[in-house]
Amino acid sequence: DWADLSAAETWKGLEDILAKYPVDRDHISLIGWHIGGRGALQLAMARPGFFAAIAALYPGIDARPPYPALRLYPQFYQKAAADNLIPFPHEKILPPPEAITDPLERKIYERVSLASRAENLIGLPVHLTDGEANRDAAAERSALTARLAELGAPVETRYVAGALHGNQPPELSNREVLDWLLAQRRPNTPEAFSFVVTNLRDNTAWSARVDALASDLEPGRVRIVRHGSALSITTSGVEALSPMILPEKSESEPLRITIDGQEMAPIPAAEVSGVTLVRDSAGRWSRGCGR
């Protein structure tokens, strides 16, 4: 699963390359297909703001524990279990599965789902080739693309009904797609962005970091809106946060933060990079020690 050991090895390899070679960090793009396509989406969601662009081709399913996406997203049954198999009518169309009703089971699988972290891709150029005929993969992709459309994300999508796991995506030999991927530049930190964190290994987005979560089962959610040298932050499920955003106008201008409706004392520019905000048991925020 690209959320666990494979991801850790990939990040370590990237860190080694960046330390050894003069890599332009604004032009690091990522392409993957089938399970690697899902991995491309997972890695980009894990560290929003790291890549310039991604291409996820026929993204498959390789999640542990076994991930019943069709049960999690039964509203996409028709497309996932029937429409996606049009070129292969001999395939048996399964009956609609029972939806997940147990709250704990739902929480576990929502943590695995790509759709639950779709907002982490906002601001990143994405090319998505949709169509692998795995029913769970199709259900998850449908949920992800629906969520991205709801968020207004500019995702370029190509649909290939009935594509089988192992088929080579045409993009791998398409010069236009590869040129597009290489031509992208890492976007600047958006003036407004949201991100979802499910663990403290993959806890950084753009220029903010979640340092503590309220629960192992509930994801942390953060939205930051910047107005010059002022930040408006809303959170849920987060107990410590490091904004790490420098003032815009001058080195001497303090950073003003309003978090969950609470206005913090202005933070001098020289102290911004080391600031961590901590929530107490009563829900009040205060400045804490950097982690």
Side-chain angles (χ1 to χ4, degrees):
D1 185 354
W2 283 95
D4 296 315
L5 186 59
S6 296
E9 292 175 343
T10 300
W11 291 124
K12 181 61 169 63
L14 275 169
E15 289 162 4
D16 290 347
I17 290 170
L18 294 173
K20 185 175 181 180
Y21 299 102
V23 176
D24 182 347
R25 291 172 182 257
D26 288 330
H27 289 90
I28 301 174
S29 294
L30 183 63
I31 186 170
W33 51 98
H34 300 298
I35 291 171
R38 191 175 196 271
L41 293 165
Q42 284 178 286
L43 292 169
M45 289 176 176
R47 300 189 186 180
F50 184 90
F51 295 106
I54 62 169
L57 315 177
Y58 303 153
I61 293 286
D62 183 29
R64 300 292 182 270
Y67 174 34
L70 201 57
R71 289 185 60 215
L72 185 61
Y73 302 113
Q75 68 269 37
F76 297 111
Y77 161 78
Q78 179 62 37
K79 180 176 180 181
D83 295 353
N84 213 46
L85 298 173
I86 289 172
F88 304 98
H90 60 278
E91 289 278 353
K92 182 179 179 180
I93 297 177
L94 300 177
E98 293 184 9
I100 296 174
T101 56
D102 181 82
L104 179 58
E105 186 181 15
R106 174 170 288 279
K107 286 180 185 295
I108 290 171
Y109 290 122
E110 283 178 343
R111 282 173 58 87
V112 175
S113 170
L114 296 181
S116 67
R117 289 169 287 151
E119 51 258 64
N120 292 20
L121 294 178
I122 296 296
L124 180 67
V126 176
H127 175 97
L128 175 64
T129 297
D130 189 359
E132 184 185 336
N134 175 291
R135 295 170 176 87
D136 280 319
E140 182 184 49
R141 282 196 313 273
S142 296
L144 174 62
T145 53
R147 178 61 178 149
L148 289 172
E150 179 185 330
L151 293 168
V155 179
E156 178 184 332
T157 302
R158 188 175 69 88
Y159 181 66
V160 182
L164 297 176
H165 191 80
N167 287 166
Q168 178 168 308
E171 284 86 346
L172 297 180
S173 56
N174 185 321
R175 179 63 183 266
E176 290 184 5
V177 173
L178 298 177
D179 283 346
W180 171 85
L181 195 68
L182 295 172
Q184 302 305 309
R185 180 183 180 85
R186 180 171 58 170
N188 294 326
T189 300
E191 291 295 305
F193 63 94
S194 302
F195 67 103
V196 179
V197 171
T198 57
N199 64 74
L200 295 182
R201 182 192 62 211
D202 303 319
N203 62 339
T204 301
W206 303 101
S207 51
R209 183 183 68 230
V210 171
D211 297 299
L213 295 169
S215 167
D216 291 333
L217 284 177
E218 298 288 349
R221 297 180 180 275
V222 178
R223 178 165 176 76
I224 297 179
V225 180
R226 177 173 178 163
H227 302 283
S229 292
L231 300 180
S232 176
I233 305 175
T234 54
T235 72
S236 67
V238 173
E239 292 192 340
L241 174 72
S242 299
M244 300 190 298
I245 298 178
L246 295 175
E248 186 177 65
K249 296 180 181 178
S250 72
E251 294 183 359
S252 61
E253 187 169 357
L255 181 65
R256 299 178 181 278
I257 296 178
T258 300
I259 181 166
D260 294 332
Q262 177 187 337
E263 189 172 339
M264 309 292 296
I267 301 172
E271 301 175 17
V272 169
S273 60
V275 164
T276 295
L277 306 178
V278 180
R279 190 202 305 263
D280 63 21
S281 58
R284 295 283 299 174
W285 289 91
S286 62
R287 285 186 58 177
C289 298
R291 302 188 177 196

